[in-house]
Amino acid sequence: MSHFGRTGPPDIADTYSLLVLNITFRTSADDLFPLFDKYGKVVDIFIPRDRRTGESRGFAFVRYKYAEEAQKAVDRLDGRVVDGREMAVQFAKYGPNAERIHQGRIIEKVPGFKGSSRSRSPRRRYRDDYHRDREYRRSRSRSVDRYERDRYRQRERVYRHRSRSRSLSPDYDRDRGRGRDRKHHRRSPSVDSASPSRRSPSPHRKESPPRSLSPTKGSPVRRVRNERSPTPRSRSPPGRAMDSRSPSPRVDEVISRALV
DNA sequence: GTTGAGCGTT
């Protein structure tokens, strides 16, 4: 019984939910279960994951059967370092359907009977969640920096493109300083022929052998996971595949070829 | 392969 949350919430009636924050992105329910089960009867553990990547979002929900045990878990596990990161354990404030709960327990009366307590409003939960999730992570998350950086990169690309288009005359571009280097290099072509290593577009080459490490590299010092990634299908998430472009070397090549 | 405020699924 280690797969929590796989078949949905078993019985959220008379359970006390704890919100576990600041856990590692690699921490799974199996890792949290032994920690929380020591302080009481854990009914369910659920770790929300990203819709696109399927990775953990960094927090989890642990449901206890009794409030005193949940309180004890909060008192004992709040601030506990798990996987090198200090996690924060506190009582959940909202239920699975955004109901207000008190001390982790759902206050609102469930119209359904045993088991079907969530059949109150299972309508909205498809595209809205996708959009909301994306906006969620874009609002205040580390993705903001990434998106800003991408935007900056795109703007830089556009700027370069515009500059190149604007300077149709090579004299203009040459007088800006870039042509001077070219002219200087053109004046001494022996440099290009004599030092081919300088022409290397990436002087930061590591020159590391392709496969030099022995297969016995895996040391069991880390956690061994039997089934950590059951569905590794999506190797390349859509949306970031178009960002991997390198327009700079291409433009340089074009200019170099045009000058020669 | 990365990241770090917050409240949730078959």
Side-chain angles (χ1 to χ4, degrees):
Chain A
M1 300 263 188
S2 51
H3 286 75
F4 298 100
R6 286 302 270 277
T7 58
D11 48 345
I12 61 178
D14 290 334
T15 56
Y16 300 87
S17 297
L18 294 184
L19 174 65
V20 185
L21 293 173
N22 225 19
I23 63 175
T24 330
F25 292 97
R26 298 167 292 276
T27 303
S28 66
D30 295 347
D31 299 328
L32 294 178
F33 177 70
L35 290 175
F36 285 86
D37 194 61
K38 286 192 301 185
Y39 300 101
K41 172 67 175 167
V42 174
V43 181
D44 179 49
I45 294 182
F46 172 64
I47 297 181
R49 299 184 300 175
D50 194 284
R51 306 292 239 194
R52 304 155 299 184
T53 63
E55 285 185 57
S56 171
R57 286 162 75 179
F59 61 96
F61 290 98
V62 179
R63 275 211 280 268
Y64 275 95
K65 181 62 181 168
Y66 303 104
E68 46 192 10
E69 296 175 347
Q71 179 62 54
K72 191 165 60 180
V74 169
D75 191 50
R76 304 292 288 177
L77 292 179
D78 185 36
R80 176 72 63 91
V81 176
V82 175
D83 202 20
R85 205 168 173 85
E86 190 176 274
M87 65 178 182
V89 183
Q90 56 195 252
F91 278 99
K93 301 191 304 194
Y94 305 102
N97 289 334
E99 315 104 339
R100 278 200 277 278
I101 57 183
H102 178 61
Q103 289 275 297
R105 192 178 74 165
I106 301 175
I107 294 177
E108 89 166 29
K109 307 292 199 299
V110 282
F113 296 99
K114 54 262 186 191
S116 272
S117 57
R118 260 173 72 252
S119 59
R120 183 170 57 88
S121 60
R123 315 185 286 217
R124 49 175 176 86
R125 195 179 286 278
Y126 286 106
R127 215 172 101 255
D128 238 16
D129 266 18
Y130 275 66
H131 198 75
R132 194 173 67 96
D133 196 40
R134 210 175 56 155
E135 291 245 348
Y136 233 64
R137 297 183 75 79
R138 280 186 61 181
S139 291
R140 63 267 200 256
S141 172
R142 88 270 179 181
S143 303
V144 165
D145 293 342
R146 195 176 300 162
Y147 276 113
E148 292 246 344
R149 200 181 60 178
D150 283 0
R151 219 167 54 139
Y152 191 77
R153 246 169 54 184
Q154 281 190 5
R155 203 177 62 174
E156 198 179 22
R157 188 168 69 103
V158 169
Y159 185 74
R160 279 181 71 92
H161 186 70
R162 274 176 62 190
S163 181
R164 191 169 63 92
S165 288
R166 187 167 56 88
S167 62
L168 286 177
S169 50
D171 298 351
Y172 218 91
D173 209 87
R174 262 204 336 230
D175 279 351
R176 279 238 311 252
R178 192 146 173 185
R180 269 212 300 262
D181 278 17
R182 284 292 170 199
K183 210 160 76 171
H184 186 68
H185 276 278
R186 210 182 70 178
R187 218 146 63 169
S188 43
S190 58
V191 174
D192 276 37
S193 312
S195 58
S197 61
R198 254 189 123 83
R199 266 191 345 190
S200 184
S202 53
H204 214 63
R205 207 65 170 181
K206 287 197 188 94
E207 295 282 352
S208 60
R211 292 296 187 267
S212 182
L213 8 109
S214 54
T216 65
K217 192 200 101 176
S219 47
V221 65
R222 282 283 185 198
R223 54 194 113 58
V224 283
R225 43 192 79 166
N226 292 340
E227 38 194 12
R228 193 55 49 115
S229 52
T231 55
R233 48 194 165 148
S234 189
R235 180 65 81 156
S236 57
R240 286 205 49 188
M242 294 169 117
D243 288 347
S244 59
R245 299 194 180 209
S246 47
S248 305
R250 194 178 293 177
V251 173
D252 207 39
E253 243 182 62
V254 167
I255 292 177
S256 175
R257 230 180 298 176
L259 286 177
V260 171

